[in-house]
Amino acid sequence: DVKVTQSSRYLVKRTGEKVFLECVQDMDHENMFWYRQDPGLGLRLIYFSYDVKMKEKGDIPEGYSVSREKKERFSLILESASTNQTSMYLCASSFTGTSSYNEQFFGPGTRLTVL
Amino acid sequence: DAKTTQPPSMDCAEGRAANLPCNHSTISGNEYVYWYRQIHSQGPQYIIHGLKNNETNEMASLIITEDRKSSTLILPHATLRDTAVYYCIVRPRYNQGGKLIFGQGTELSVKP
């Protein structure tokens, strides 16, 4: 079974702190994604990566950065956390290629609260 | 990517078929229809996808109209564990990084 794990299930940080959210997948997937999910807004894509050291902005990249130094690991960084970044953060991964069957596998999520 | 429209919520009796509709009237020829669901406090889970033919797997069936402007996800015998938010997504077959754009989805409540 594909496994996508996230470093924390719940996290509480203070405004201005630097926050690292880690995601690891064990299926040698090329693509990895970070989303945030908020009530009434659904899932929104923050950043994605289709290869090591490659990154692309999603729909809401402001206030975030990412790092992909190894294929299995994709980190989301909040340089200076703010209260409006309180949210559920979801990581996902998928194979690339020309197959239409590029389903994304999601981790359990990290619920981040910024005080 | 084409926009989709789904009803915000639906109820279904346990053991009955749940039919979840999705409109995607601006879908283009190279776009597939994907369905995911998200059970409370979990990450989304892939269910099924299709291009123009009806598809079935162990979880569900997908019926796509001939003009491809709408589709229906069918859970043939809904159980309480099928209570979740169901997302209908369309995306091109060749899509760098395999991006998905999630809409608001349909919140399905399966009742005893």
Side-chain angles (χ1 to χ4, degrees), chain A residues 8-73:
Chain A
S8 304
R9 198 79 169 90
Y10 299 93
L11 205 54
V12 180
K13 295 291 182 181
R14 297 213 173 269
T15 301
E17 278 193 79
K18 190 169 186 174
V19 182
F20 292 87
L21 301 183
E22 304 285 341
C23 176
V24 178
Q25 50 93 4
D26 66 358
M27 278 300 290
D28 204 34
H29 285 167
E30 293 87 356
N31 307 317
M32 296 189 75
F33 308 82
W34 275 106
Y35 297 85
R36 65 177 282 178
Q37 186 170 28
D38 302 286
L41 297 175
L43 278 93
R44 294 178 293 165
L45 182 64
I46 305 172
Y47 267 98
F48 68 102
S49 168
Y50 53 89
D51 202 352
V52 175
K53 296 193 187 295
M54 304 301 288
K55 60 185 178 185
E56 293 282 342
K57 292 179 181 179
D59 301 316
I60 50 161
E62 295 79 19
Y64 303 94
S65 62
V66 290
S67 172
R68 184 118 182 252
E69 296 297 318
K70 292 186 177 180
K71 193 174 186 180
E72 67 271 18
R73 188 179 297 268

Short mmCIF file of all heavy atoms in Angstrom, two decimals, chain A residues 8-73:
data_model
loop_
_atom_site.label_atom_id
_atom_site.label_comp_id
_atom_site.label_asym_id
_atom_site.label_seq_id
_atom_site.Cartn_x
_atom_site.Cartn_y
_atom_site.Cartn_z
N SER A 8 3.37 15.66 11.67
CA SER A 8 2.55 15.90 12.86
C SER A 8 1.07 15.84 12.49
O SER A 8 0.70 16.22 11.39
CB SER A 8 2.84 17.28 13.46
OG SER A 8 4.20 17.44 13.75
N ARG A 9 0.26 15.39 13.40
CA ARG A 9 -1.18 15.41 13.18
C ARG A 9 -1.77 16.76 13.64
O ARG A 9 -2.67 17.29 13.01
CB ARG A 9 -1.82 14.27 13.96
CG ARG A 9 -3.20 13.91 13.51
CD ARG A 9 -3.18 13.05 12.26
NE ARG A 9 -4.51 12.50 12.01
CZ ARG A 9 -5.43 13.11 11.26
NH1 ARG A 9 -5.18 14.25 10.69
NH2 ARG A 9 -6.60 12.54 11.08
N TYR A 10 -1.23 17.25 14.74
CA TYR A 10 -1.65 18.54 15.28
C TYR A 10 -0.40 19.35 15.64
O TYR A 10 0.58 18.79 16.11
CB TYR A 10 -2.52 18.37 16.54
CG TYR A 10 -3.80 17.62 16.30
CD1 TYR A 10 -3.86 16.24 16.50
CD2 TYR A 10 -4.94 18.28 15.87
CE1 TYR A 10 -5.03 15.54 16.27
CE2 TYR A 10 -6.12 17.58 15.64
CZ TYR A 10 -6.16 16.22 15.83
OH TYR A 10 -7.33 15.53 15.61
N LEU A 11 -0.47 20.66 15.39
CA LEU A 11 0.66 21.53 15.66
C LEU A 11 0.13 22.88 16.10
O LEU A 11 -0.82 23.40 15.49
CB LEU A 11 1.47 21.68 14.37
CG LEU A 11 2.95 22.01 14.41
CD1 LEU A 11 3.71 21.02 15.28
CD2 LEU A 11 3.51 22.02 13.00
N VAL A 12 0.72 23.43 17.16
CA VAL A 12 0.36 24.77 17.62
C VAL A 12 1.62 25.62 17.62
O VAL A 12 2.63 25.23 18.23
CB VAL A 12 -0.26 24.73 19.03
CG1 VAL A 12 -0.62 26.15 19.47
CG2 VAL A 12 -1.50 23.84 19.04
N LYS A 13 1.58 26.75 16.94
CA LYS A 13 2.73 27.64 16.84
C LYS A 13 2.30 29.08 17.15
O LYS A 13 1.09 29.40 17.15
CB LYS A 13 3.33 27.58 15.43
CG LYS A 13 3.91 26.23 15.07
CD LYS A 13 5.16 25.94 15.87
CE LYS A 13 5.78 24.61 15.49
NZ LYS A 13 6.99 24.33 16.30
N ARG A 14 3.29 29.90 17.38
CA ARG A 14 3.00 31.31 17.68
C ARG A 14 3.26 32.16 16.43
O ARG A 14 4.10 31.84 15.59
CB ARG A 14 3.86 31.79 18.83
CG ARG A 14 3.56 31.06 20.13
CD ARG A 14 3.74 31.96 21.34
NE ARG A 14 3.29 31.26 22.55
CZ ARG A 14 2.04 31.35 23.01
NH1 ARG A 14 1.14 32.07 22.39
NH2 ARG A 14 1.71 30.70 24.10
N THR A 15 2.58 33.27 16.35
CA THR A 15 2.77 34.22 15.26
C THR A 15 4.23 34.61 15.15
O THR A 15 4.89 34.88 16.16
CB THR A 15 1.91 35.48 15.52
OG1 THR A 15 0.55 35.11 15.63
CG2 THR A 15 2.07 36.48 14.38
N GLY A 16 4.75 34.57 13.92
CA GLY A 16 6.13 34.95 13.67
C GLY A 16 7.12 33.79 13.69
O GLY A 16 8.25 33.94 13.24
N GLU A 17 6.68 32.65 14.19
CA GLU A 17 7.58 31.48 14.21
C GLU A 17 7.78 30.93 12.81
O GLU A 17 6.89 31.04 11.94
CB GLU A 17 6.98 30.37 15.09
CG GLU A 17 7.22 30.53 16.56
CD GLU A 17 6.89 29.25 17.32
OE1 GLU A 17 7.72 28.32 17.31
OE2 GLU A 17 5.79 29.18 17.92
N LYS A 18 8.91 30.30 12.59
CA LYS A 18 9.15 29.57 11.35
C LYS A 18 8.65 28.15 11.55
O LYS A 18 8.98 27.51 12.56
CB LYS A 18 10.64 29.58 11.01
CG LYS A 18 10.95 29.05 9.61
CD LYS A 18 12.41 29.35 9.25
CE LYS A 18 12.70 28.96 7.81
NZ LYS A 18 14.05 29.36 7.37
N VAL A 19 7.84 27.68 10.62
CA VAL A 19 7.18 26.38 10.77
C VAL A 19 7.56 25.47 9.61
O VAL A 19 7.54 25.90 8.45
CB VAL A 19 5.65 26.53 10.82
CG1 VAL A 19 4.97 25.17 11.02
CG2 VAL A 19 5.24 27.49 11.94
N PHE A 20 7.90 24.24 9.93
CA PHE A 20 8.22 23.24 8.91
C PHE A 20 7.19 22.12 8.99
O PHE A 20 6.99 21.52 10.04
CB PHE A 20 9.61 22.63 9.15
CG PHE A 20 10.74 23.58 8.95
CD1 PHE A 20 11.17 24.39 9.98
CD2 PHE A 20 11.39 23.66 7.72
CE1 PHE A 20 12.23 25.27 9.80
CE2 PHE A 20 12.44 24.54 7.54
CZ PHE A 20 12.86 25.34 8.58
N LEU A 21 6.56 21.83 7.86
CA LEU A 21 5.67 20.68 7.77
C LEU A 21 6.34 19.69 6.81
O LEU A 21 6.68 20.05 5.68
CB LEU A 21 4.30 21.08 7.24
CG LEU A 21 3.53 22.13 8.06
CD1 LEU A 21 2.15 22.37 7.46
CD2 LEU A 21 3.40 21.71 9.51
N GLU A 22 6.51 18.46 7.30
CA GLU A 22 7.22 17.47 6.51
C GLU A 22 6.27 16.42 5.96
O GLU A 22 5.32 16.01 6.64
CB GLU A 22 8.26 16.76 7.38
CG GLU A 22 9.27 17.68 8.05
CD GLU A 22 10.31 18.19 7.07
OE1 GLU A 22 10.48 17.58 6.00
OE2 GLU A 22 10.94 19.22 7.38
N CYS A 23 6.56 15.96 4.77
CA CYS A 23 5.76 14.92 4.12
C CYS A 23 6.71 13.91 3.49
O CYS A 23 7.67 14.30 2.81
CB CYS A 23 4.86 15.54 3.05
SG CYS A 23 3.91 14.34 2.09
N VAL A 24 6.43 12.64 3.71
CA VAL A 24 7.26 11.57 3.15
C VAL A 24 6.36 10.54 2.49
O VAL A 24 5.33 10.15 3.06
CB VAL A 24 8.10 10.90 4.26
CG1 VAL A 24 8.92 9.75 3.68
CG2 VAL A 24 9.03 11.90 4.92
N GLN A 25 6.74 10.12 1.28
CA GLN A 25 6.01 9.04 0.59
C GLN A 25 6.98 7.91 0.26
O GLN A 25 8.16 8.15 0.02
CB GLN A 25 5.31 9.58 -0.67
CG GLN A 25 6.18 10.38 -1.60
CD GLN A 25 6.83 9.61 -2.71
OE1 GLN A 25 6.59 8.40 -2.89
NE2 GLN A 25 7.66 10.29 -3.50
N ASP A 26 6.43 6.69 0.25
CA ASP A 26 7.30 5.51 0.13
C ASP A 26 7.11 4.77 -1.19
O ASP A 26 7.47 3.60 -1.29
CB ASP A 26 7.08 4.58 1.32
CG ASP A 26 5.68 3.97 1.34
OD1 ASP A 26 4.86 4.30 0.46
OD2 ASP A 26 5.40 3.18 2.27
N MET A 27 6.49 5.42 -2.21
CA MET A 27 6.21 4.71 -3.45
C MET A 27 7.01 5.25 -4.63
O MET A 27 6.64 4.99 -5.78
CB MET A 27 4.72 4.78 -3.76
CG MET A 27 3.91 3.75 -3.02
SD MET A 27 4.41 2.04 -3.38
CE MET A 27 3.82 1.89 -5.07
N ASP A 28 8.06 5.99 -4.37
CA ASP A 28 8.91 6.47 -5.45
C ASP A 28 8.15 7.36 -6.45
O ASP A 28 8.43 7.38 -7.65
CB ASP A 28 9.55 5.28 -6.20
CG ASP A 28 10.83 5.67 -6.91
OD1 ASP A 28 11.57 6.53 -6.38
OD2 ASP A 28 11.10 5.15 -8.00
N HIS A 29 7.15 8.08 -5.95
CA HIS A 29 6.37 8.98 -6.80
C HIS A 29 7.19 10.21 -7.18
O HIS A 29 7.92 10.76 -6.37
CB HIS A 29 5.12 9.45 -6.06
CG HIS A 29 4.05 8.39 -5.99
ND1 HIS A 29 2.96 8.51 -5.15
CD2 HIS A 29 3.90 7.23 -6.63
CE1 HIS A 29 2.19 7.47 -5.30
NE2 HIS A 29 2.75 6.66 -6.19
N GLU A 30 7.02 10.63 -8.43
CA GLU A 30 7.72 11.83 -8.88
C GLU A 30 7.04 13.11 -8.37
O GLU A 30 7.72 14.08 -8.05
CB GLU A 30 7.74 11.90 -10.41
CG GLU A 30 8.57 10.81 -11.09
CD GLU A 30 7.78 9.53 -11.33
OE1 GLU A 30 6.60 9.44 -10.92
OE2 GLU A 30 8.34 8.61 -11.94
N ASN A 31 5.72 13.11 -8.35
CA ASN A 31 4.98 14.33 -8.02
C ASN A 31 4.59 14.38 -6.55
O ASN A 31 4.16 13.38 -5.98
CB ASN A 31 3.68 14.39 -8.84
CG ASN A 31 3.92 14.24 -10.32
OD1 ASN A 31 4.85 14.82 -10.86
ND2 ASN A 31 3.08 13.46 -10.98
N MET A 32 4.74 15.55 -5.97
CA MET A 32 4.25 15.76 -4.60
C MET A 32 3.58 17.12 -4.51
O MET A 32 3.94 18.04 -5.26
CB MET A 32 5.41 15.63 -3.59
CG MET A 32 6.00 14.22 -3.56
SD MET A 32 7.17 13.94 -2.23
CE MET A 32 6.08 13.80 -0.80
N PHE A 33 2.61 17.22 -3.60
CA PHE A 33 1.73 18.38 -3.54
C PHE A 33 1.49 18.80 -2.09
O PHE A 33 1.43 17.95 -1.20
CB PHE A 33 0.35 18.04 -4.14
CG PHE A 33 0.40 17.42 -5.50
CD1 PHE A 33 0.64 16.06 -5.66
CD2 PHE A 33 0.20 18.20 -6.63
CE1 PHE A 33 0.69 15.49 -6.92
CE2 PHE A 33 0.25 17.63 -7.90
CZ PHE A 33 0.49 16.28 -8.03
N TRP A 34 1.31 20.09 -1.91
CA TRP A 34 0.82 20.61 -0.63
C TRP A 34 -0.46 21.40 -0.88
O TRP A 34 -0.51 22.29 -1.73
CB TRP A 34 1.84 21.52 0.05
CG TRP A 34 2.84 20.79 0.87
CD1 TRP A 34 4.15 20.57 0.57
CD2 TRP A 34 2.62 20.17 2.15
NE1 TRP A 34 4.75 19.86 1.57
CE2 TRP A 34 3.83 19.61 2.56
CE3 TRP A 34 1.50 20.05 2.98
CZ2 TRP A 34 3.98 18.92 3.77
CZ3 TRP A 34 1.64 19.39 4.18
CH2 TRP A 34 2.87 18.83 4.56
N TYR A 35 -1.52 21.05 -0.11
CA TYR A 35 -2.79 21.75 -0.13
C TYR A 35 -3.08 22.27 1.28
O TYR A 35 -2.61 21.73 2.26
CB TYR A 35 -3.94 20.79 -0.47
CG TYR A 35 -3.90 20.14 -1.83
CD1 TYR A 35 -3.17 18.96 -2.05
CD2 TYR A 35 -4.64 20.65 -2.89
CE1 TYR A 35 -3.17 18.35 -3.29
CE2 TYR A 35 -4.64 20.04 -4.14
CZ TYR A 35 -3.90 18.89 -4.31
OH TYR A 35 -3.91 18.27 -5.55
N ARG A 36 -3.95 23.28 1.32
CA ARG A 36 -4.57 23.62 2.59
C ARG A 36 -6.08 23.54 2.41
O ARG A 36 -6.61 23.74 1.30
CB ARG A 36 -4.15 24.99 3.12
CG ARG A 36 -4.55 26.18 2.31
CD ARG A 36 -4.14 27.49 2.99
NE ARG A 36 -5.03 27.87 4.09
CZ ARG A 36 -4.86 28.94 4.86
NH1 ARG A 36 -3.81 29.74 4.67
NH2 ARG A 36 -5.71 29.23 5.82
N GLN A 37 -6.74 23.18 3.51
CA GLN A 37 -8.19 23.02 3.45
C GLN A 37 -8.84 23.84 4.55
O GLN A 37 -8.51 23.69 5.72
CB GLN A 37 -8.57 21.54 3.62
CG GLN A 37 -10.05 21.29 3.43
CD GLN A 37 -10.37 19.81 3.36
OE1 GLN A 37 -9.68 18.97 3.92
NE2 GLN A 37 -11.43 19.48 2.63
N ASP A 38 -9.77 24.68 4.13
CA ASP A 38 -10.47 25.56 5.06
C ASP A 38 -11.97 25.44 4.83
O ASP A 38 -12.41 25.27 3.68
CB ASP A 38 -10.03 27.02 4.86
CG ASP A 38 -8.54 27.20 5.03
OD1 ASP A 38 -8.09 27.16 6.19
OD2 ASP A 38 -7.82 27.35 4.02
N PRO A 39 -12.76 25.56 5.89
CA PRO A 39 -14.22 25.46 5.74
C PRO A 39 -14.75 26.47 4.73
O PRO A 39 -14.38 27.65 4.76
CB PRO A 39 -14.73 25.79 7.15
CG PRO A 39 -13.60 25.45 8.05
CD PRO A 39 -12.36 25.76 7.28
N GLY A 40 -15.57 25.99 3.81
CA GLY A 40 -16.16 26.87 2.81
C GLY A 40 -15.27 27.17 1.62
O GLY A 40 -15.75 27.69 0.62
N LEU A 41 -14.00 26.83 1.72
CA LEU A 41 -13.06 27.12 0.62
C LEU A 41 -12.53 25.86 -0.04
O LEU A 41 -11.88 25.92 -1.08
CB LEU A 41 -11.90 27.97 1.13
CG LEU A 41 -12.25 29.35 1.65
CD1 LEU A 41 -11.03 30.04 2.23
CD2 LEU A 41 -12.86 30.20 0.53
N GLY A 42 -12.75 24.71 0.59
CA GLY A 42 -12.30 23.46 0.00
C GLY A 42 -10.79 23.32 0.04
O GLY A 42 -10.09 23.97 0.81
N LEU A 43 -10.27 22.42 -0.79
CA LEU A 43 -8.83 22.20 -0.89
C LEU A 43 -8.25 23.17 -1.91
O LEU A 43 -8.72 23.25 -3.04
CB LEU A 43 -8.53 20.78 -1.36
CG LEU A 43 -8.56 19.69 -0.32
CD1 LEU A 43 -9.92 19.05 -0.28
CD2 LEU A 43 -7.50 18.64 -0.63
N ARG A 44 -7.19 23.85 -1.52
CA ARG A 44 -6.51 24.76 -2.42
C ARG A 44 -5.04 24.39 -2.50
O ARG A 44 -4.40 24.15 -1.48
CB ARG A 44 -6.68 26.20 -1.95
CG ARG A 44 -8.11 26.71 -2.02
CD ARG A 44 -8.24 28.12 -1.49
NE ARG A 44 -7.99 28.20 -0.06
CZ ARG A 44 -7.76 29.33 0.60
NH1 ARG A 44 -7.73 30.49 -0.05
NH2 ARG A 44 -7.55 29.30 1.91
N LEU A 45 -4.51 24.37 -3.73
CA LEU A 45 -3.14 23.94 -3.96
C LEU A 45 -2.17 25.07 -3.64
O LEU A 45 -2.30 26.18 -4.18
CB LEU A 45 -2.98 23.50 -5.42
CG LEU A 45 -1.63 22.97 -5.85
CD1 LEU A 45 -1.29 21.68 -5.10
CD2 LEU A 45 -1.62 22.72 -7.35
N ILE A 46 -1.18 24.78 -2.80
CA ILE A 46 -0.20 25.79 -2.40
C ILE A 46 1.02 25.72 -3.32
O ILE A 46 1.41 26.70 -3.95
CB ILE A 46 0.24 25.58 -0.94
CG1 ILE A 46 -0.96 25.57 0.01
CG2 ILE A 46 1.22 26.68 -0.51
CD1 ILE A 46 -0.61 25.16 1.44
N TYR A 47 1.64 24.55 -3.36
CA TYR A 47 2.82 24.29 -4.19
C TYR A 47 2.78 22.84 -4.63
O TYR A 47 2.19 22.00 -3.95
CB TYR A 47 4.11 24.52 -3.40
CG TYR A 47 4.73 25.88 -3.49
CD1 TYR A 47 4.50 26.83 -2.49
CD2 TYR A 47 5.57 26.23 -4.55
CE1 TYR A 47 5.07 28.09 -2.55
CE2 TYR A 47 6.15 27.49 -4.62
CZ TYR A 47 5.90 28.42 -3.62
OH TYR A 47 6.48 29.66 -3.67
N PHE A 48 3.45 22.56 -5.72
CA PHE A 48 3.69 21.17 -6.09
C PHE A 48 5.08 21.03 -6.69
O PHE A 48 5.73 22.02 -7.05
CB PHE A 48 2.60 20.62 -7.00
CG PHE A 48 2.56 21.21 -8.38
CD1 PHE A 48 3.07 20.53 -9.47
CD2 PHE A 48 1.94 22.44 -8.61
CE1 PHE A 48 3.00 21.05 -10.74
CE2 PHE A 48 1.87 22.98 -9.88
CZ PHE A 48 2.41 22.28 -10.95
N SER A 49 5.51 19.79 -6.77
CA SER A 49 6.85 19.49 -7.28
C SER A 49 6.75 18.24 -8.15
O SER A 49 6.15 17.25 -7.73
CB SER A 49 7.79 19.23 -6.10
OG SER A 49 9.01 18.66 -6.56
N TYR A 50 7.31 18.29 -9.34
CA TYR A 50 7.26 17.12 -10.22
C TYR A 50 8.61 16.44 -10.35
O TYR A 50 8.79 15.53 -11.16
CB TYR A 50 6.68 17.49 -11.59
CG TYR A 50 7.37 18.64 -12.26
CD1 TYR A 50 8.47 18.44 -13.08
CD2 TYR A 50 6.90 19.94 -12.08
CE1 TYR A 50 9.10 19.50 -13.69
CE2 TYR A 50 7.52 21.01 -12.69
CZ TYR A 50 8.62 20.78 -13.50
OH TYR A 50 9.24 21.85 -14.10
N ASP A 51 9.58 16.89 -9.57
CA ASP A 51 10.88 16.24 -9.57
C ASP A 51 11.70 16.82 -8.41
O ASP A 51 11.38 17.89 -7.88
CB ASP A 51 11.60 16.48 -10.89
CG ASP A 51 12.68 15.45 -11.19
OD1 ASP A 51 12.99 14.63 -10.29
OD2 ASP A 51 13.22 15.45 -12.30
N VAL A 52 12.78 16.13 -8.09
CA VAL A 52 13.66 16.64 -7.03
C VAL A 52 14.17 18.03 -7.43
O VAL A 52 14.52 18.27 -8.57
CB VAL A 52 14.84 15.67 -6.83
CG1 VAL A 52 15.84 16.22 -5.83
CG2 VAL A 52 14.35 14.31 -6.37
N LYS A 53 14.16 18.90 -6.46
CA LYS A 53 14.62 20.29 -6.59
C LYS A 53 13.73 21.14 -7.52
O LYS A 53 14.04 22.31 -7.75
CB LYS A 53 16.08 20.37 -7.06
CG LYS A 53 17.05 19.76 -6.05
CD LYS A 53 18.48 20.13 -6.37
CE LYS A 53 19.47 19.40 -5.47
NZ LYS A 53 19.34 19.80 -4.06
N MET A 54 12.65 20.57 -8.04
CA MET A 54 11.73 21.35 -8.87
C MET A 54 10.53 21.72 -8.03
O MET A 54 10.05 20.93 -7.20
CB MET A 54 11.29 20.54 -10.08
CG MET A 54 12.40 20.00 -10.93
SD MET A 54 13.46 21.29 -11.59
CE MET A 54 12.38 22.02 -12.80
N LYS A 55 10.02 22.92 -8.26
CA LYS A 55 8.81 23.34 -7.56
C LYS A 55 8.02 24.27 -8.46
O LYS A 55 8.58 25.01 -9.27
CB LYS A 55 9.14 24.01 -6.24
CG LYS A 55 10.00 25.27 -6.39
CD LYS A 55 10.39 25.83 -5.04
CE LYS A 55 11.29 27.04 -5.21
NZ LYS A 55 11.79 27.56 -3.93
N GLU A 56 6.71 24.23 -8.29
CA GLU A 56 5.82 25.10 -9.04
C GLU A 56 4.80 25.70 -8.08
O GLU A 56 4.31 25.00 -7.19
CB GLU A 56 5.07 24.31 -10.11
CG GLU A 56 5.93 23.77 -11.23
CD GLU A 56 6.29 24.83 -12.25
OE1 GLU A 56 5.62 25.88 -12.28
OE2 GLU A 56 7.24 24.61 -13.01
N LYS A 57 4.48 26.95 -8.28
CA LYS A 57 3.46 27.58 -7.44
C LYS A 57 2.08 27.05 -7.81
O LYS A 57 1.79 26.83 -8.98
CB LYS A 57 3.48 29.10 -7.64
CG LYS A 57 4.73 29.76 -7.10
CD LYS A 57 4.70 31.26 -7.33
CE LYS A 57 5.97 31.91 -6.80
NZ LYS A 57 5.99 33.37 -7.04
N GLY A 58 1.28 26.86 -6.77
CA GLY A 58 -0.11 26.52 -6.98
C GLY A 58 -0.96 27.78 -7.00
O GLY A 58 -0.52 28.83 -7.47
N ASP A 59 -2.14 27.68 -6.43
CA ASP A 59 -3.07 28.80 -6.47
C ASP A 59 -2.85 29.82 -5.35
O ASP A 59 -3.18 30.99 -5.50
CB ASP A 59 -4.51 28.27 -6.40
CG ASP A 59 -4.81 27.35 -7.55
OD1 ASP A 59 -4.43 27.68 -8.69
OD2 ASP A 59 -5.42 26.28 -7.33
N ILE A 60 -2.26 29.38 -4.24
CA ILE A 60 -2.11 30.28 -3.09
C ILE A 60 -0.72 30.14 -2.47
O ILE A 60 -0.57 29.78 -1.31
CB ILE A 60 -3.20 30.03 -2.02
CG1 ILE A 60 -3.30 28.53 -1.66
CG2 ILE A 60 -4.56 30.54 -2.49
CD1 ILE A 60 -4.00 28.26 -0.36
N PRO A 61 0.35 30.48 -3.19
CA PRO A 61 1.70 30.27 -2.66
C PRO A 61 2.18 31.33 -1.69
O PRO A 61 3.19 31.14 -1.00
CB PRO A 61 2.55 30.29 -3.93
CG PRO A 61 1.80 31.23 -4.84
CD PRO A 61 0.34 31.00 -4.55
N GLU A 62 1.47 32.45 -1.61
CA GLU A 62 1.97 33.57 -0.81
C GLU A 62 2.09 33.18 0.66
O GLU A 62 1.17 32.64 1.26
CB GLU A 62 1.02 34.77 -0.94
CG GLU A 62 0.94 35.36 -2.33
CD GLU A 62 0.03 34.54 -3.24
OE1 GLU A 62 -0.81 33.75 -2.72
OE2 GLU A 62 0.16 34.67 -4.47
N GLY A 63 3.25 33.48 1.24
CA GLY A 63 3.50 33.19 2.65
C GLY A 63 4.09 31.81 2.90
O GLY A 63 4.35 31.45 4.04
N TYR A 64 4.29 31.05 1.80
CA TYR A 64 4.82 29.70 1.91
C TYR A 64 6.02 29.52 1.00
O TYR A 64 6.16 30.20 0.00
CB TYR A 64 3.76 28.66 1.50
CG TYR A 64 2.47 28.73 2.26
CD1 TYR A 64 1.39 29.46 1.78
CD2 TYR A 64 2.32 28.04 3.47
CE1 TYR A 64 0.20 29.53 2.48
CE2 TYR A 64 1.12 28.10 4.17
CZ TYR A 64 0.08 28.85 3.67
OH TYR A 64 -1.10 28.91 4.36
N SER A 65 6.88 28.58 1.37
CA SER A 65 7.91 28.10 0.46
C SER A 65 7.99 26.58 0.63
O SER A 65 7.39 26.03 1.55
CB SER A 65 9.27 28.76 0.74
OG SER A 65 9.71 28.45 2.05
N VAL A 66 8.71 25.93 -0.28
CA VAL A 66 8.82 24.48 -0.23
C VAL A 66 10.25 24.06 -0.51
O VAL A 66 11.05 24.83 -1.04
CB VAL A 66 7.87 23.78 -1.24
CG1 VAL A 66 6.42 23.92 -0.82
CG2 VAL A 66 8.11 24.30 -2.64
N SER A 67 10.52 22.81 -0.16
CA SER A 67 11.83 22.25 -0.42
C SER A 67 11.67 20.78 -0.80
O SER A 67 10.94 20.05 -0.13
CB SER A 67 12.70 22.37 0.84
OG SER A 67 13.92 21.67 0.68
N ARG A 68 12.37 20.37 -1.87
CA ARG A 68 12.35 18.96 -2.29
C ARG A 68 13.79 18.59 -2.62
O ARG A 68 14.21 18.62 -3.75
CB ARG A 68 11.44 18.77 -3.49
CG ARG A 68 11.32 17.28 -3.90
CD ARG A 68 9.92 16.81 -3.78
NE ARG A 68 9.79 15.40 -4.13
CZ ARG A 68 9.22 14.97 -5.25
NH1 ARG A 68 8.75 15.83 -6.15
NH2 ARG A 68 9.10 13.69 -5.47
N GLU A 69 14.52 18.17 -1.58
CA GLU A 69 15.92 17.77 -1.74
C GLU A 69 16.04 16.29 -2.06
O GLU A 69 17.02 15.87 -2.67
CB GLU A 69 16.71 18.10 -0.47
CG GLU A 69 16.79 19.60 -0.18
CD GLU A 69 17.55 20.34 -1.27
OE1 GLU A 69 18.59 19.84 -1.74
OE2 GLU A 69 17.09 21.43 -1.67
N LYS A 70 15.07 15.50 -1.64
CA LYS A 70 15.05 14.07 -1.93
C LYS A 70 13.69 13.72 -2.51
O LYS A 70 12.68 14.37 -2.21
CB LYS A 70 15.30 13.26 -0.65
CG LYS A 70 16.68 13.41 -0.09
CD LYS A 70 16.90 12.47 1.08
CE LYS A 70 18.32 12.59 1.60
NZ LYS A 70 18.58 11.70 2.74
N LYS A 71 13.67 12.68 -3.32
CA LYS A 71 12.44 12.33 -4.04
C LYS A 71 11.30 12.01 -3.08
O LYS A 71 10.14 12.32 -3.37
CB LYS A 71 12.72 11.13 -4.94
CG LYS A 71 11.64 10.83 -5.95
CD LYS A 71 12.08 9.73 -6.88
CE LYS A 71 11.06 9.54 -8.00
NZ LYS A 71 11.47 8.45 -8.92
N GLU A 72 11.60 11.39 -1.96
CA GLU A 72 10.53 10.93 -1.09
C GLU A 72 10.01 12.00 -0.13
O GLU A 72 9.01 11.78 0.54
CB GLU A 72 11.00 9.72 -0.28
CG GLU A 72 12.10 9.99 0.74
CD GLU A 72 13.51 9.86 0.17
OE1 GLU A 72 13.65 9.89 -1.07
OE2 GLU A 72 14.44 9.73 0.98
N ARG A 73 10.68 13.15 -0.08
CA ARG A 73 10.34 14.12 0.96
C ARG A 73 10.03 15.49 0.37
O ARG A 73 10.78 16.00 -0.47
CB ARG A 73 11.52 14.23 1.94
CG ARG A 73 11.26 15.06 3.17
CD ARG A 73 12.51 15.07 4.05
NE ARG A 73 12.84 13.74 4.54
CZ ARG A 73 12.40 13.23 5.68
NH1 ARG A 73 11.62 13.94 6.47
NH2 ARG A 73 12.77 12.01 6.02
#
